[in-house]
Amino acid sequence: LNRPSVVNHMHSPTSSRSIVTHLQRAFGGDLVKTMARVLSRHVVVAAVVASGIFSAASASCRRDPVGSGASSCAAGVLSEPPSLIQRKSQVKHLSLSAEAGSSTRSRIQVQGRQILVDGKPIHVKGVAWNPVKKGGTNPRDVNFAEAVERDAALLAQAGVNAVRTYQPITDTRVLDVLWSHGIWVFNSVYNYGGAPSDSVVSKVNAVKHHPAILMWTIGNEWNYNGLYTNMALWDSVSRLQEVAEHIKRNDPEHPVACVYGELHELQGVDARMPSVDVWGVNAYRGISFGNLFDSYAALSSKPFFLGEYGADAFNAKIGREDQESQAVATKALTQEIVDHSSVTGGSCIGGFVFELADEWWKVGKSSAWVHDNGGQAPGSGPYPDMTFN
């Protein structure tokens, strides 16, 4: 798994169910169900989802499906979307409600550090999702429609309740499948600075009435990449503020989230982006987030989520796949997110494991069909090798 953040996907020749069984056995199936997608290369998917933490923590909360009264729950967390019957009913009536111009007004709200759905706080148990097959290129070969049936079932099995995309989903049929499995969507509508700010309008309007949409996301650690055009920081700030304004004019009923890399200069950036409701933070600090949660809380009063976290499955120290270390790290990091959930008074609304995907297209000048197990070691990064493989 390579570190640069626009992510990819290919279908595995290995049984996904066998991987679930292996990692359940390694970490105790009753506590942690871990799901991984092993690919036909040595660097495997970074989608070891420590969802058993979610599942175990939320089990005692399920009578109250979106998390009110969470403080009385065993682990004090987590939310669930509506029931399957409710979701199917919403999808069934979606076209009628869209034609009638109805909306989700007041259904999704930002209140303090929480996201409320129908007045109740939720906690996000998410996975980053951007399906590109082996041999494909990004973004040309992103194919949500082809991957959604299989991937949604795997994600639901792991206890996941949200996906974060890196390209926009504008196909309501894809959203229907995700929603039928109880999966919210953080729908990315603007990452590339070469596109005009108003290019988001058609993407937002295409699916803004769909019940699976929880919020829109703009940018992806753009303070590092200059919106993939090397745009200067404050020019990027101005551009994304314009983008957020366009979104709010066309859809005032869903929050707008902006995904940042770590926390450097975030306080000043936040002050110049009043139309951003929620911050996403991509952070890789080994096997612990350290002081991330308290540091963020001192910089902004807005809700935030981990836009990316976790560990890839290749260990550069031993030169081979190491799912055990990947699962250990993902479990530990997920537990820290749970411990700081805004549902129980913390600063964080949840996070997205990076990722249900692999990234063969990031081989540079080599072929996207050829395995490359190289990596980057900038001095900090994922456990155990601090290398983005």
Side-chain angles (χ1 to χ4, degrees):
L1 170 66
N2 294 324
R3 170 66 188 92
S5 295
V6 182
V7 298
N8 303 281
H9 174 105
M10 56 180 279
H11 290 291
S12 167
T14 306
S15 167
S16 300
R17 182 169 293 132
S18 69
I19 301 306
V20 172
T21 302
H22 166 72
L23 291 169
Q24 282 179 318
R25 186 163 53 244
F27 293 98
D30 291 338
L31 175 62
V32 179
K33 288 192 224 174
T34 316
M35 183 272 290
R37 194 53 108 42
V38 177
L39 307 180
S40 59
R41 59 181 289 180
H42 297 144
V43 183
V44 304
V45 63
V48 177
V49 181
S51 60
I53 294 172
F54 306 140
S55 301
S58 59
S60 60
C61 304
R62 283 179 180 151
R63 288 189 296 262
D64 190 359
V66 285
S68 68
S71 60
S72 65
C73 294
V77 282
L78 302 167
S79 68
E80 301 294 338
S83 70
L84 180 60
I85 294 174
Q86 289 173 316
R87 294 193 300 270
K88 288 185 175 179
S89 176
Q90 286 172 322
V91 170
K92 178 180 179 181
H93 292 96
L94 179 61
S95 60
L96 295 176
S97 65
E99 290 173 6
S102 67
S103 71
T104 55
R105 187 179 302 279
S106 299
R107 182 175 180 237
I108 300 170
Q109 298 173 313
V110 175
Q111 181 173 290
R113 295 192 183 278
Q114 296 180 331
I115 301 298
L116 306 182
V117 177
D118 297 328
K120 299 177 182 180
I122 74 165
H123 183 98
V124 174
K125 307 173 289 185
V127 169
W129 186 55
N130 194 59
V132 175
K133 282 186 174 182
K134 174 183 175 181
T137 60
N138 184 79
R140 184 189 68 190
D141 295 315
V142 176
N143 195 330
F144 295 114
E146 181 181 38
V148 68
E149 291 283 356
R150 178 177 178 177
D151 288 0
L154 286 168
L155 292 167
Q157 179 186 359
V160 171
N161 72 354
V163 293
R164 176 195 165 207
T165 68
Y166 295 79
Q167 301 296 329
I169 298 177
T170 56
D171 184 346
T172 57
R173 294 169 296 182
V174 172
L175 295 174
D176 288 350
V177 175
L178 290 168
W179 193 236
S180 72
H181 287 279
I183 297 173
W184 298 100
V185 178
F186 284 53
N187 204 9
S188 175
V189 289
Y190 193 91
N191 282 340
Y192 175 59
S197 59
D198 62 359
S199 65
V200 297
V201 173
S202 61
K203 301 168 189 173
V204 167
N205 286 339
V207 293
K208 66 184 180 182
H209 294 297
H210 199 286
I213 300 295
L214 187 63
M215 65 182 70
W216 311 106
T217 70
I218 58 176
N220 181 58
E221 53 189 38
W222 49 272
N223 51 315
Y224 298 158
N225 57 48
L227 293 172
Y228 299 103
T229 62
N230 295 316
M231 190 180 294
L233 176 68
W234 299 111
D235 290 339
S236 299
V237 167
S238 297
R239 172 66 61 82
L240 289 170
Q241 171 61 18
E242 290 176 9
V243 170
E245 290 171 355
H246 279 298
I247 295 172
K248 287 187 171 293
R249 279 194 291 269
N250 287 273
D251 178 24
E253 294 136 1
H254 290 93
V256 177
C258 190
V259 182
Y260 201 72
E262 274 287 347
L263 301 178
H264 182 63
E265 294 193 274
L266 179 59
Q267 188 171 38
V269 168
D270 186 30
R272 299 191 189 192
M273 299 181 72
S275 295
V276 169
D277 304 299
V278 181
W279 283 101
V281 175
N282 293 355
Y284 295 90
R285 300 183 177 189
I287 202 166
S288 173
F289 292 114
N291 64 356
L292 176 72
F293 302 98
D294 291 340
S295 296
Y296 174 84
L299 299 175
S300 175
S301 61
K302 296 174 182 178
F304 98 101
F305 58 89
L306 273 298
E308 295 176 9
Y309 77 96
D312 62 74
F314 188 84
N315 185 344
K317 290 182 175 180
I318 59 176
R320 60 179 172 82
E321 181 183 320
D322 184 2
Q323 291 188 47
E324 298 292 329
S325 293
Q326 182 187 39
V328 167
T330 306
K331 175 183 175 182
L333 295 168
T334 301
Q335 186 63 62
E336 288 190 12
I337 294 172
V338 169
D339 291 343
H340 291 86
S341 175
S342 62
V343 172
T344 53
S347 60
C348 184
I349 67 169
F352 292 87
V353 175
F354 189 79
E355 57 178 322
L356 183 63
D358 204 2
E359 300 186 328
W360 284 48
W361 59 274
K362 286 185 176 175
V363 295
K365 296 180 180 180
S366 302
S367 168
W369 292 97
V370 177
H371 169 227
D372 171 16
N373 62 4
Q376 302 173 15
S380 64
Y383 176 87
D385 54 6
M386 308 302 282
T387 300
F388 299 107
N389 294 296

